Amino acid sequence: MKSKISQNTIFNYDRQNLDDATLLKLYRGMLKPRVIEEKMLILLRQGKVSKWFSGIGQEAISVAVTAVLDNDEYILPMHRNLAVFTMRDIPLHRLFSQWQGKANGFTKGRDRSFHFGTQEFHIIGMISHLGPQFGVADGIALANKLKNNNKVCAVFTGEGGTSEGDIHEALNVASVWKLPVLFCVENNGYGLSTPTNEQYNCEHIADRGKGYGMESHIIDGNNILEVYTKLQQLVESMRTNPRPVLLEFKTFRMRGHEEASGTKYVPTDLIDEWGLRDPLSNYENYLLEEGLLSEEMIQKFKDGFKQEIDENLALAFAEPNIEFNETNELDDVFKPFEYQEFKPNLDVENIRLIDAISEGLKQSMERHENLVIMGQDVAEYGGVFKITEGFVEQFGKDRVRNTPICESAIISTGMGLSINGFKAVVEMQFADFVSSGFNPIVNYLAKSHYRWNEKADVVVRMPCGAGVGAGPFHSQTNEAWFTHTPGLKVVYPAFPYDAKGLLATSIEDPNPVLFFEHKALYRSIRQDVPVDYYTLPLGKASLLREGIDVTIITYGAGVHWALETLDQETDINADLLDLRTLVPLDIDAIYKSVRKTGKVIILQEDSMFGGIASDISAMIMEDCFESLDAPVKRVGSMQTPIPFASNLESGYLPKEKFKKNLLTLLSY
Ligand SMILES: Cc1ncc(C[n+]2csc(CCOP(=O)(O)OP(=O)(O)O)c2C)c(N)n1
């Protein structure tokens, strides 16, 4: 039944077969966030809230998207989607506490506004960087698809965010993998102050769907019934026929980017024009005309919401400010993980580092049915180093997934898998390429547990290192990019035995782990390695040689350079400490050895400045000064990119320098 065209609404509302209760639910759904926002604007002026991103005028989209999803279907909102939170009936006092940085919010005061998620309500909030949100939705949807549970998820962005590379990557992956995601772009005219014609140069963002090979639609985002009815059909069909859909909602941002930034740059006639298209007042008029709503009912609803807001605000205001407690802060950086020892049995085989990693990975796949491997060419091809050769045959293509070239989206996808109950191992084809996935690693994975208590059960495998004549972009050992970032564990084995056991533990551990594998050691280092599954603890260095004259601290290829030197210089009586993991760092083992020998040399393959050797050196000077008989010596590669030609590369690497410096130190 088509409604009559109203004098009092701009829209030609078509209720189709929606019942009265649904029509009223949608109205109340839009009214509530509007009333909350009006209150927030007052609190903002009173200095009781620090920042506010208004969604006034855009409520129809959040309300309808949330209304068509089941409560256990994930939604990934942005900063203008208050209605997503209210439609899921989050107690308002918790939202108010969140916005005031109080303990009863969702982040223990550690993040602001809508930057949080809650598994209880199946809402996964944004990070400031916007773009990774789409890839996380991919991961959640992939998990749904692998569970075969006929669920969809919805993710939001503004049109400004669509210019980010992460978004393009995620759309492409979703299309290639047919992931059931509703990609909701709220095109509200401005990204901060930037109008759409300075943001993109196609007519409609929905037109990009064709380029991605993805179904797409343009929807009038201010017409609640249009949004709701179209989405209802789409979601039903996506549940049975999983696929991504790109939706461009035409709407308008009626207020400033955030309240303090104002709307001076927006022509007033545009604001007036869109004011006439207000989704709430138009719909209200329609319902009044239809006889479903009366002025008394409107007043009653508003009064009810106001009372709820006041009561909940009182609760939040009464809550004391959060206290700083150093231990609490530090304790939440990582999810607690109880290391479970699987003892290596005596049955061993003599294998190379590369075989040990491959075998460790395979046995983890056997042990964890929810483990998914993703990376470029990892499936039939077996990865460029052949570590996953034969995996597809054993575990199938669902769990061993070739990816497009899109490091950022795949890391974010790993995060989404983790949120939705899976474990992920992501192979960087070369550690160098992680720079293209840097954003989600250091901003999303690293900070999730600290921010809102969510694990990031993702291991990023990093084939790294020089000595293979591969030049500046296939030789880096970039662990220092990550050891600096709280929330990431960094593992760097030098031997097959360690690599296999540490990889197993890294996969067991629900925290994000960067797992470095030195390419030059892949096929050159052999060892007896237990055949069965076993684990080794993270954060334990290994004392490879014992002596009293000097402590050598190193890891990765450096361990083998040090061993070679000690084999040549047999009269050197040294402790040789292989760190094995850089985060957590075995500080006790370092200090114990330093206090015994009184002389220390730290060797790293990476260029010196800002590397981990500098931090270890500083810690030793601060804490073991009285035990030192000489200044701590650091040895690292030259402060240049890594050159290709073998003569240049060996000049760049610190192997020769190490021997010279060691001898100088001993004679100090
Ligand atoms: C990577 C990154 N660059 C810049 C910003 C700053 N910033 C935050 S929101 C925003 C505008 C976003 O516009 P749009 O995606 O259209 O969403 P809207 O605010 O209009 O809803 C900008 C530039 C950011 N948060 N992250």
Side-chain angles (χ1 to χ4, degrees):
M1 169 181 78
K2 214 130 175 111
S3 308
K4 59 185 180 288
I5 295 183
S6 161
Q7 310 260 311
N8 298 317
T9 69
I10 285 252
F11 303 111
N12 183 14
Y13 286 111
D14 179 2
R15 69 182 287 175
Q16 298 185 16
N17 52 4
L18 298 180
D19 60 22
D20 293 353
T22 305
L23 293 192
L24 280 177
K25 186 178 103 176
L26 296 176
Y27 172 70
R28 283 173 56 83
M30 286 199 288
L31 182 63
K32 186 171 182 177
R34 181 70 63 94
V35 179
I36 294 173
E37 284 221 40
E38 283 163 0
K39 182 73 183 183
M40 285 304 127
L41 297 182
I42 295 169
L43 293 178
L44 193 71
R45 282 195 282 277
Q46 295 172 343
K48 291 179 178 160
V49 177
S50 66
K51 240 182 199 307
W52 188 256
F53 296 89
S54 174
I56 287 180
Q58 299 179 220
E59 295 97 334
I61 305 160
S62 306
V63 167
V65 170
T66 316
V68 297
L69 294 190
D70 294 337
N71 277 343
D72 63 353
E73 287 180 314
Y74 282 99
I75 300 192
L76 296 87
M78 279 280 159
H79 46 287
R80 290 191 209 289
N81 303 113
L82 169 60
V84 167
F85 299 83
T86 50
M87 286 292 288
R88 288 254 159 121
D89 286 329
I90 292 188
L92 292 186
H93 65 93
R94 292 208 64 196
L95 285 180
F96 297 150
S97 289
Q98 166 65 21
W99 299 333
Q100 288 170 35
K102 291 188 172 172
N104 205 22
F106 293 87
T107 61
K108 301 185 185 171
R110 291 169 187 160
D111 207 343
R112 67 186 195 194
S113 62
F114 294 100
H115 297 186
F116 67 93
T118 147
Q119 284 282 10
E120 188 187 348
F121 295 94
H122 287 80
I123 293 176
I124 307 301
M126 63 187 293
I127 66 165
S128 290
H129 294 66
L130 315 169
Q133 199 71 333
F134 268 35
V136 175
D138 282 356
I140 289 173
L142 174 58
N144 283 335
K145 209 172 159 181
L146 295 177
K147 290 178 193 171
N148 221 348
N149 63 9
N150 300 107
K151 293 197 182 302
V152 304
C153 75
V155 60
F156 287 87
T157 184
E159 84 290 344
T162 64
S163 302
E164 289 188 37
D166 312 58
I167 298 259
H168 293 287
E169 289 188 6
L171 287 166
N172 183 50
V173 171
S175 184
V176 173
W177 289 358
K178 298 197 173 43
L179 301 175
V181 186
L182 275 175
F183 291 105
C184 303
V185 180
E186 292 185 83
N187 190 344
N188 65 5
Y190 288 84
L192 217 156
S193 74
T194 305
T196 52
N197 65 334
E198 294 181 36
Q199 191 69 250
Y200 57 87
N201 192 28
C202 50
E203 194 180 352
H204 303 291
I205 285 174
D207 295 344
R208 294 183 191 163
K210 187 161 175 50
Y212 296 120
M214 187 186 293
E215 177 180 341
S216 68
H217 302 273
I218 296 173
I219 298 179
D220 185 336
N222 285 27
N223 178 341
I224 180 85
L225 294 189
E226 181 178 333
V227 185
Y228 185 81
T229 50
K230 281 207 171 149
L231 282 173
Q232 215 185 18
Q233 285 166 13
L234 272 174
V235 164
E236 260 167 41
S237 109
M238 285 164 70
R239 285 188 185 122
T240 47
N241 172 19
R243 65 186 190 281
V245 176
L246 175 62
L247 300 171
E248 180 180 3
F249 297 99
K250 303 285 190 187
T251 184
F252 198 72
R253 197 193 70 203
M254 294 300 292
R255 303 190 64 87
H257 169 63
E258 44 100 16
E259 282 308 313
S261 61
T263 51
K264 259 198 192 136
Y265 46 85
V266 184
T268 42
D269 53 345
L270 209 51
I271 297 184
D272 295 344
E273 191 186 308
W274 278 92
L276 297 175
R277 300 176 63 81
D278 181 79
L280 179 62
S281 59
N282 276 287
Y283 189 57
E284 194 173 272
N285 287 342
Y286 164 72
L287 293 182
L288 283 166
E289 273 182 11
E290 292 288 302
L292 289 176
L293 199 59
S294 64
E295 296 294 348
E296 296 73 46
M297 284 167 77
I298 297 173
Q299 200 51 49
K300 204 174 119 217
F301 290 156
K302 282 187 180 165
D303 290 345
F305 290 141
K306 280 183 183 158
Q307 192 184 345
E308 186 186 348
I309 291 167
D310 287 342
E311 284 168 6
N312 280 274
L313 267 178
L315 284 175
F317 283 136
E319 199 188 336
N321 283 335
I322 201 150
E323 299 269 330
F324 173 74
N325 175 311
E326 197 172 322
T327 315
N328 288 350
E329 295 306 295
L330 291 170
D331 280 355
D332 279 346
V333 172
F334 291 109
K335 185 177 168 72
F337 164 60
E338 208 157 306
Y339 169 68
Q340 201 189 346
E341 186 182 8
F342 288 81
K343 283 209 165 76
N345 69 16
L346 298 177
D347 186 10
V348 296
E349 57 190 337
N350 192 267
I351 55 175
R352 303 167 303 175
L353 178 72
I354 196 159
D355 309 317
I357 292 169
S358 177
E359 215 176 273
L361 193 55
K362 190 190 287 181
Q363 288 172 358
S364 287
M365 286 289 276
E366 286 161 353
R367 179 174 155 70
H368 305 286
E369 281 183 3
N370 64 343
L371 175 60
V372 174
I373 296 175
M374 299 181 287
Q376 288 145 34
D377 311 291
V378 297
E380 291 82 355
Y381 190 69
V384 290
F385 296 104
K386 302 294 170 203
I387 289 201
T388 50
E389 193 155 54
F391 279 37
V392 169
E393 288 75 9
Q394 186 173 349
F395 304 108
K397 277 206 87 161
D398 275 352
R399 292 181 62 204
V400 184
R401 308 184 72 92
N402 277 341
T403 71
I405 304 173
C406 53
E407 286 74 10
S408 176
I410 293 305
I411 304 269
S412 303
T413 298
M415 181 72 213
L417 280 171
S418 167
I419 286 170
N420 202 359
F422 281 73
K423 285 176 170 290
V425 168
V426 179
E427 176 176 298
M428 288 295 114
Q429 201 154 65
F430 287 82
D432 310 68
F433 303 147
V434 78
S435 49
S436 296
F438 197 65
N439 185 23
I441 295 180
V442 300
N443 287 315
Y444 211 123
L445 276 59
K447 297 175 182 27
S448 285
H449 193 265
Y450 177 75
R451 291 169 57 243
W452 62 280
N453 198 31
E454 180 61 27
K455 67 189 184 314
D457 204 344
V458 181
V459 174
V460 184
R461 289 190 35 245
M462 303 276 281
C464 65
V468 287
F473 303 117
H474 290 78
S475 308
Q476 295 171 85
T477 178
N478 41 19
E479 66 278 9
W481 298 356
F482 304 101
T483 50
H484 176 71
T485 303
L488 300 175
K489 297 193 177 180
V490 180
V491 178
Y492 205 141
F495 293 98
Y497 173 82
D498 290 343
K500 185 174 169 186
L502 290 171
L503 180 59
T505 308
S506 301
I507 292 169
E508 298 265 356
D509 193 319
N511 293 288
V513 180
L514 280 292
F515 191 87
F516 285 81
E517 309 167 2
H518 202 292
K519 305 189 298 282
L521 307 180
Y522 266 162
R523 295 183 164 79
S524 62
I525 302 297
R526 303 186 76 94
Q527 209 179 24
D528 282 348
V529 175
V531 173
D532 290 340
Y533 183 84
Y534 64 95
T535 56
L536 291 172
L538 306 191
K540 292 276 172 235
S542 136
L543 190 59
L544 297 177
R545 296 274 169 95
E546 286 194 54
I548 52 167
D549 295 342
V550 63
T551 299
I552 302 169
I553 300 170
T554 186
Y555 56 97
V559 173
H560 298 281
W561 300 333
L563 281 170
E564 217 178 285
T565 306
L566 292 179
D567 286 344
Q568 288 161 5
E569 308 287 329
T570 48
D571 49 341
I572 297 178
N573 196 335
D575 259 8
L576 172 57
L577 208 53
D578 171 5
L579 293 173
R580 301 200 290 189
T581 65
L582 307 182
V583 182
L585 186 64
D586 193 349
I587 296 168
D588 290 346
I590 294 172
Y591 287 1
K592 190 172 166 207
S593 173
V594 171
R595 289 187 175 122
K596 179 179 72 173
T597 65
K599 286 186 178 175
V600 195
I601 184 165
I602 310 162
L603 168 63
Q604 72 181 26
E605 177 178 332
D606 195 7
S607 318
M608 183 72 80
F609 194 81
I612 195 151
S614 303
D615 273 298
I616 294 173
S617 165
M619 286 193 294
I620 292 170
M621 308 253 219
E622 280 170 8
D623 297 331
C624 308
F625 186 72
E626 278 80 15
S627 309
L628 289 176
D629 296 325
V632 176
K633 188 72 209 163
R634 295 169 303 147
V635 180
S637 285
M638 283 176 66
Q639 206 63 30
T640 66
I642 305 167
F644 158 62
S646 64
N647 278 347
L648 297 186
E649 190 187 42
S650 38
Y652 159 88
L653 287 169
K655 193 172 163 186
E656 293 309 315
K657 244 187 297 173
F658 168 68
K659 188 169 168 180
K660 218 171 87 204
N661 279 283
L662 176 63
L663 295 172
T664 313
L665 178 63
L666 282 164
S667 60
Y668 182 88

